[in-house]
Amino acid sequence: MARPGKTPAIEVRDLVTHYGRTEILHGVNMTVEEGEIMIIMGGSGSGKSTLLRYLLGLSRPTSGSIYMLGKDITRLSPREMHELRKNMGVAFQGGALLSSMSVGENVQLPLLEHTRLDRKTMQIMARMKLEVVNLGGFEHMMPAQLSGGMIKRAAVARAIVMDPKLMFFDEPSAGLDPVVSAELDELILRLRDAMNMTMVVVTHELESAMKIADRITVLDRGNILMIGTVEEVQASDNERIQALLNRRPSTGEVAADEYLERLTRA
């Protein structure tokens, strides 16, 4: 549930998902409030990317509900989901720029897909968003001519070109050096404050998470260990959370009965 006085932008209720016969998310509940930056973090295989996939409406869950701006996306028709996605921006881990298009043409893609604006207006809007991410004057360059950090920023410009209410980041700092990563963190904070966006950021970068988070959701093996502020997470006495924060390896111990059952399962 949202905290008192806070309005939920995203609500996940009892979300259960499967890959084949394997259950991945086990009754996940999470609320993201309007205008906040929610970090989703956890170790490898914790379910971070799976949760993001379902938040984006790319798959239907086994059970449970996901409310986006008051609408349960698990019950929307393809046409209704298409309309809702006009209020959603996504910055993918690798940037996902189309190599055959210039930077400016990449940024214009959502406008081509979702609006009937004339070409000149789309070009101006793309330039405006490139200025926001400090890439003014780079619209004629090709993705292959950009550095890794510039590709990430161009992807952000494309994601915000329609001024979405919800913004999703998948590992925004992955593969970047510390200086460029810090610059991207500052950009995320600036966008949230300037455009009043609600943001969900999936990341394993602890320093980045602690810097930009309003709250953190800690996932482990498909379960939420806790949701809290940076200070609350750091103060947690949960061993698995402390192992994640202090980079301690998991023991990985398995009970004998569980091990035998796993080996003999059909």
Side-chain angles (χ1 to χ4, degrees):
M1 296 179 61
R3 292 176 292 180
K6 302 291 185 179
T7 303
I10 302 170
E11 290 185 272
V12 180
R13 302 177 183 173
D14 302 317
L15 183 68
V16 175
T17 71
H18 286 77
Y19 286 153
R21 296 183 178 181
T22 304
E23 187 171 293
I24 305 300
L25 298 177
H26 316 297
V28 166
N29 289 278
M30 180 183 73
T31 298
V32 184
E33 296 157 0
E34 285 187 356
E36 84 167 330
I37 298 177
M38 174 65 83
I39 298 291
I40 299 176
M41 61 186 294
S44 178
S46 61
K48 305 186 302 294
S49 297
T50 298
L51 178 55
L52 179 62
R53 179 177 182 83
Y54 285 91
L55 289 176
L56 296 176
L58 299 178
S59 298
R60 296 266 182 174
T62 305
S63 62
S65 303
I66 304 172
Y67 287 85
M68 296 278 184
L69 305 176
K71 297 180 179 180
D72 184 357
I73 66 172
T74 68
R75 298 178 179 275
L76 296 183
S77 67
R79 180 183 293 275
E80 290 170 330
M81 192 66 212
H82 181 79
E83 287 299 310
L84 182 62
R85 286 198 174 107
K86 294 178 183 180
N87 290 305
M88 300 164 61
V90 186
F92 299 97
Q93 181 173 341
L97 299 184
L98 299 182
S99 59
S100 60
M101 292 183 171
S102 69
V103 171
E105 289 170 337
N106 268 281
V107 176
Q108 291 174 50
L109 280 175
L111 300 173
L112 285 167
E113 174 71 18
H114 295 296
T115 75
R116 296 182 179 179
L117 297 171
D118 62 85
R119 177 67 70 170
K120 186 67 175 178
T121 300
M122 287 190 287
Q123 290 173 346
I124 292 172
M125 292 178 68
R127 290 192 198 109
M128 289 172 62
K129 291 306 189 285
L130 286 169
E131 289 285 351
V132 170
V133 301
N134 297 321
L135 283 179
F138 286 83
E139 65 266 22
H140 300 300
M141 297 186 71
M142 302 301 289
Q145 297 173 303
L146 303 182
S147 68
M150 294 167 74
I151 288 174
K152 297 265 191 178
R153 284 186 281 145
V156 172
R158 181 179 60 190
I160 65 172
V161 73
M162 291 186 62
D163 297 325
K165 295 178 181 178
L166 306 175
M167 183 73 187
F168 299 87
F169 293 87
D170 184 15
E171 299 285 3
S173 301
L176 302 180
D177 67 61
V179 173
V180 177
S181 178
E183 291 173 350
L184 192 57
D185 290 341
E186 291 294 337
L187 173 60
I188 291 172
L189 290 169
R190 198 165 67 243
L191 286 174
R192 188 275 308 272
D193 294 338
M195 304 179 73
N196 195 35
M197 290 180 181
T198 301
M199 297 185 171
V200 176
V201 183
V202 172
T203 184
H204 68 279
E205 298 286 348
L206 290 174
E207 185 175 351
S208 176
M210 298 304 170
K211 179 179 179 180
I212 67 176
D214 290 310
R215 289 191 298 156
I216 297 174
T217 295
V218 184
L219 273 175
D220 181 65
R221 301 175 184 177
N223 296 291
I224 289 182
L225 294 183
M226 76 171 295
I227 300 176
T229 64
V230 171
E231 294 76 16
E232 290 169 342
V233 171
Q234 290 175 327
S236 171
D237 58 4
N238 184 287
E239 291 184 3
R240 299 193 69 83
I241 292 177
Q242 288 304 316
L244 179 66
L245 296 179
N246 295 288
R247 300 181 181 274
R248 292 198 301 264
S250 172
T251 59
E253 293 182 356
V254 179
D257 290 346
E258 180 185 344
Y259 180 63
L260 180 61
E261 193 276 334
R262 195 164 66 197
L263 290 178
T264 58
R265 184 185 305 136

